[in-house]
Amino acid sequence: MKFFRLLIVMLSMLATAIATAAERPVFVIPVHTEIDNSAFHHFRQGLRQAKEANASMLLVHLNTYGGALDAADSIRTAIMRCELPTVAFVDVNAASAGALIALACDSVYMAPGASMGSATVVNGSGEPMPEKYQSYMSTIMRATAEHHGKRADGDSMVWRRSPEIAASMVNPEISVSLTTRQAIECGYADGSATDIDRVLAGLDRADEPIAYYNSSLTDDILGFLSNAAVRAILVMLILGGIYMEMHTPGLGFAASVATVAAALYFLPMIVGGSMPAWVLLCLIAGVVLIALELFVVPGFGVTGISGIIAIAIALTGAMTSNDAVTGFDLGALGSSLLIVGAGCLLALALVWYLTSSHGPECFRKHSELMTELSVADGFVGVDLSPARLVGQLATSATVLRPAGKITVGHDVYDAVSTGPFIAANRHVKIVKYENAQLYVVEHQPE
């Protein structure tokens, strides 16, 4: 009897496991925009949703002309670290950074008339970057191709995807692009398909359900805040606001702007859980040092500069991915430094504009408090040299009622009697020097 009960339980568990496996979907993440930090944010969210859905496979639906290398490399790294089987469906275009993403997947299917390649690194004007950039991109493409290993071809082993073809896609002189037929012939594509259903049929997964990544309004906002240009502007507002607040009295508008900008800057990392603990400690240390500069230590000195440096380090470190989905992305460090550096330059330009004669009047009024008064600019400081005359004898050049003039040697000074009025040509003694003024009493010779 016990044997039959145990058998029923085992059969039930087996049926449940089979049903669960059958319900595991193929998860589709579309990449139809320019490859940038926003696209990487959405891709990372898609990986999280795929994990939550217990997906059986990840399908990257590509139709892009490329974009930023750092964001594409982050997506490539996430794909190669993904524990699920991965397949790229090139639906028309996988150019430049898109080719790198397609190359990272385990399998590639291309739509008829599609193309993949042309991964030359170019600047904003479309001109090829110097050789060192091309060499680095070529190495990434080659390493990605080698990641898929070799296969048997008769008695020898050949690369499943030729590293030489991958590297040739970067060549500025002859940047290789592959059509669907060419990609299949050289092993870069596993087949041709007109849509996702036919891709799954070619992979013997036609009966598996399909789940799609759906971005929420929160994802769209966080993706916007992850954009490199937006981050640079936020860095400008943070550092510029801190600088302006440290040179103006009170906790006012500049501090509020810096606080809001910092909250928006760190929001994608906090929500995504990708901000390391040391970054948070650096940020807290920077805020504490700046607070000391504002409220304890007057002026703009070591504590203020140290606080700004600590915050700059936190801003840089916060942009390096470090979560359970994508792991630590050291390649993003260079991009982080570039974005923070651009933000610093923008902050300097902003402060210069606001405090110059070209800036708004409301800021110029505050900037006058920051101006250093110098003799070269026509400002005259207080002459403290008469203080050395205290204790000496003098002669009243005029009547002191109580103010008048005295002579010390051949020099004439303003003076004030500390007692009764003093007539002219009387002996007086200088008793003190306060508020840029000599004070005298009448002196009776012994």
Side-chain angles (χ1 to χ4, degrees):
M1 196 69 179
K2 291 182 178 180
F3 172 77
F4 286 109
R5 287 180 180 176
L6 181 61
L7 181 60
I8 293 172
V9 171
M10 292 179 63
L11 290 175
S12 177
M13 292 175 62
L14 180 61
T16 302
I18 293 173
T20 302
E23 293 173 357
R24 294 181 64 187
V26 173
F27 198 87
V28 179
I29 301 179
V31 180
H32 296 163
T33 60
E34 180 181 356
I35 308 299
D36 56 12
N37 286 325
S38 176
F40 173 53
H41 170 80
H42 284 288
F43 191 86
R44 184 168 54 188
Q45 293 299 106
L47 289 178
R48 285 198 176 92
Q49 290 186 16
K51 186 176 181 179
E52 293 171 357
N54 193 27
S56 61
M57 188 179 73
L58 183 70
L59 190 149
V60 184
H61 190 182
L62 281 166
N63 184 12
T64 178
Y65 289 105
L69 173 58
D70 60 326
D73 188 41
S74 297
I75 295 176
R76 173 197 80 118
T77 303
I79 291 173
M80 292 194 298
R81 291 177 178 174
C82 183
E83 297 177 355
L84 300 175
T86 57
V87 57
F89 174 42
V90 180
D91 192 2
V92 184
N93 290 303
S96 189
L100 177 62
I101 294 172
L103 186 59
C105 294
D106 300 326
S107 303
V108 177
Y109 281 77
M110 297 177 66
S115 62
M116 175 175 63
S118 295
T120 303
V121 184
V122 297
N123 58 22
S125 302
E127 299 294 329
M129 295 291 284
E131 175 60 28
K132 66 177 182 178
Y133 295 95
Q134 312 300 341
S135 176
Y136 182 68
M137 181 63 176
S138 177
T139 301
I140 292 178
M141 293 289 288
R142 184 186 295 272
T144 306
E146 292 178 355
H147 171 75
H148 298 289
K150 296 184 177 182
R151 59 178 174 83
D153 185 14
D155 296 331
S156 61
M157 299 294 292
V158 297
W159 290 107
R160 186 182 168 205
R161 294 179 187 165
S162 169
E164 297 302 324
I165 294 178
S168 66
M169 292 182 179
V170 185
N171 190 338
E173 297 179 359
I174 307 175
S175 184
V176 172
S177 291
L178 302 175
T179 64
T180 300
R181 180 182 60 81
Q182 291 172 331
I184 294 173
E185 289 176 353
C186 70
Y188 266 65
D190 299 278
S192 175
T194 56
D195 53 39
I196 292 177
D197 290 333
R198 294 185 181 275
V199 172
L200 297 182
L203 295 168
D204 295 328
R205 292 175 178 266
D207 296 331
E208 295 187 16
I210 302 175
Y212 291 86
Y213 164 67
N214 294 313
S215 64
S216 63
L217 177 60
T218 301
D219 289 337
D220 293 337
I221 293 174
L222 296 179
F224 173 76
L225 294 176
S226 299
N227 182 272
V230 175
R231 282 176 165 175
I233 292 173
L234 291 175
V235 171
M236 172 193 72
L237 295 176
I238 293 169
L239 298 182
I242 290 173
Y243 182 87
M244 292 293 293
E245 185 62 30
M246 293 177 69
H247 286 78
T248 55
L251 189 66
F253 179 73
S256 301
V257 169
T259 302
V260 172
L264 294 175
Y265 181 89
F266 288 104
L267 186 61
M269 299 82 166
I270 295 173
V271 173
S274 60
M275 190 166 71
W278 68 267
V279 172
L280 184 59
L281 293 176
C282 257
L283 178 63
I284 293 174
V287 172
V288 170
L289 287 171
I290 289 175
L292 289 174
E293 183 76 17
L294 287 172
F295 303 112
V296 179
V297 183
F300 184 60
V302 176
T303 53
I305 294 174
S306 301
I308 291 178
I309 292 174
I311 289 180
I313 294 174
L315 294 174
T316 304
M319 281 187 285
T320 55
S321 174
N322 185 29
D323 59 33
V325 176
T326 59
F328 179 73
D329 187 5
L330 184 60
L333 181 60
S335 173
S336 303
L337 291 171
L338 183 63
I339 291 173
V340 173
C344 291
L345 293 178
L346 289 173
L348 290 175
L350 178 66
V351 170
W352 174 83
Y353 171 73
L354 293 177
T355 58
S356 69
S357 58
H358 305 286
E361 184 179 354
C362 59
F363 284 99
R364 282 206 308 273
K365 290 179 180 179
H366 287 286
S367 67
E368 291 172 0
L369 298 173
M370 299 186 284
T371 305
E372 181 180 350
L373 306 181
S374 63
V375 175
D377 295 328
F379 295 97
V380 179
V382 177
D383 184 10
L384 300 178
S385 60
R388 59 184 172 78
L389 301 176
V390 174
Q392 294 188 25
L393 297 179
T395 303
S396 56
T398 64
V399 178
L400 283 84
R401 306 179 185 173
K405 294 184 179 297
I406 62 172
T407 58
V408 180
H410 299 288
D411 298 321
V412 179
Y413 297 91
D414 292 324
V416 176
S417 171
T418 61
F421 292 169
I422 302 175
N425 298 318
R426 298 291 183 92
H427 294 289
V428 295
K429 184 176 182 179
I430 302 172
V431 294
K432 62 179 179 179
Y433 180 75
E434 290 181 357
N435 300 321
Q437 182 67 63
L438 290 172
Y439 292 87
V440 298
V441 296
E442 188 171 358
H443 178 70
Q444 298 295 335
E446 298 179 358

